[in-house]
Amino acid sequence: MSLLLQITLFLAAALMIVPLAKRLGIATVLGYLFTGILLGPSVFNVVHDPEDIHKLAEYGVIFLMFIIGLELRPQRLWEMRKSIFVMGSLQVMLCGVLLACIVFFALQQQIAASVVIGFALALSSTAFVLQLLSEKQQLNTTFGQQSFSILLFQDIPLLAGTNPTHHGVAYFAAIVATFTGLFLFSRYLMRPFFRFVAKSGAHELITAVGLFIVLGVVALMDVLGISTTLGAFLTGVLLADSEFRHELEASIAPFKGLLLGLFFMTVGM
């Protein structure tokens, strides 16, 4: 089955099931998950291999983190540092130890396996939680900000990368140099370029610039083996005090919504 036909089937099913779920008071995320379960091999087996579409749908999470970053100015992120490290570390440690004990005593696993499973289960899905908080308009509440701080702490270890060959002082120096370069690029090159594009009067180019920024950062993070979602988030933070922040958010939001829906459906499969 071609990728285009798979996407068409996903969208058709979502257009029928997700609005029905909303009428029943079910969260949109659960509607997408239920749609994926129905289309997957566990039920109707409409799509046998969701891997190809899942790779595309992961950009929904990347766009989500970029838009969340746009909502946070660097000063605001600095103010949240205590919440991020204190609450985040407490949540991971307490939940990890508790779950490790449950696995050790209830499932009779070895200590090493119990620790790995416990701390893995202590982590949350940033995409799921942020989407639910956004739907309920709780992201700007005290509870939402505290939840977001914990999620940020959980994402910090992803800076270590996924490539086992990346290690040592040179690699971390490259990470620092990369984010320093992104800061300088966003402040001294990207903003004048935005003004140049805006003066041209071609509004569709604003969307093109937004996509270029996100996809360019993703490509760079992928080469370095750094988490692409965390890279997109930090790029959004660097552009949060730009005068073109709202135009960027408006241009990325439609792609974020559709691809995030596809992401939740592939998870459901």
Side-chain angles (χ1 to χ4, degrees):
M1 185 182 296
S2 68
L3 180 61
L4 179 60
L5 182 55
Q6 288 185 56
I7 293 175
T8 304
L9 289 173
F10 270 97
L11 291 177
L15 288 172
M16 291 184 292
I17 298 174
V18 175
L20 179 61
K22 287 291 289 183
R23 281 179 171 268
L24 297 174
I26 300 174
T28 304
V29 174
L30 296 180
Y32 283 125
L33 286 173
F34 185 62
T35 303
I37 292 172
L38 290 178
L39 294 177
S42 301
V43 185
F44 295 119
N45 199 24
V46 176
V47 181
H48 309 284
D49 186 9
E51 288 301 319
D52 291 336
I53 196 171
H54 184 70
K55 293 176 182 177
L56 172 65
E58 283 179 344
Y59 280 92
V61 181
I62 292 170
F63 289 148
L64 171 67
M65 294 302 293
F66 178 73
I67 290 178
I68 293 296
L70 285 175
E71 299 293 334
L72 281 176
R73 297 178 184 272
Q75 297 90 338
R76 174 59 181 156
L77 191 62
W78 178 252
E79 291 171 359
M80 293 171 60
R81 66 189 186 280
K82 291 183 179 179
S83 297
I84 293 172
F85 289 101
V86 175
M87 294 187 62
S89 58
L90 281 174
Q91 182 272 323
V92 173
M93 288 300 299
L94 293 176
C95 292
V97 171
L98 178 62
L99 290 167
C101 291
I102 292 174
V103 172
F104 178 76
F105 290 108
L107 301 181
Q108 301 297 313
Q109 295 291 322
Q110 296 181 351
I111 294 179
S114 300
V115 170
V116 170
I117 295 172
F119 278 89
L121 292 176
L123 302 179
S124 309
S125 169
T126 302
F128 277 69
V129 178
L130 289 182
Q131 183 70 9
L132 289 170
L133 289 173
S134 298
E135 282 184 21
K136 297 179 179 180
Q137 298 182 342
Q138 294 178 334
L139 198 53
N140 292 324
T141 64
T142 303
F143 165 76
Q145 291 295 305
Q146 291 172 347
S147 301
F148 182 61
S149 299
I150 292 172
L151 291 171
L152 279 181
F153 178 83
Q154 293 180 2
D155 284 340
I156 287 174
L158 296 177
L159 274 172
T162 56
N163 193 330
T165 62
H166 286 158
H167 54 79
V169 176
Y171 175 61
F172 287 100
I175 291 176
V176 174
T178 298
F179 287 113
T180 302
L182 284 175
F183 171 76
L184 296 175
F185 177 75
S186 67
R187 183 164 294 272
Y188 297 109
L189 291 178
M190 185 51 63
R191 295 179 189 185
F193 182 66
F194 259 119
R195 298 186 188 101
F196 170 75
V197 172
K199 289 179 180 178
S200 70
H203 299 292
E204 68 276 4
L205 290 181
I206 297 293
T207 301
V209 172
L211 290 174
F212 166 74
I213 292 173
V214 179
L215 296 179
V217 169
V218 167
L220 179 62
M221 297 298 109
D222 193 50
V223 169
L224 295 175
I226 305 172
S227 165
T228 53
T229 54
L230 193 58
F233 168 75
L234 292 176
T235 304
V237 171
L238 293 177
L239 292 170
D241 56 354
S242 167
E243 64 267 35
F244 297 100
R245 176 172 64 89
H246 296 294
E247 288 84 352
L248 268 175
E249 186 173 353
S251 64
I252 295 295
F255 297 96
K256 183 266 294 184
L258 287 174
L259 290 174
L260 202 58
L262 284 175
F263 172 78
F264 292 136
M265 284 188 278
T266 56
V267 171
M269 293 186 66

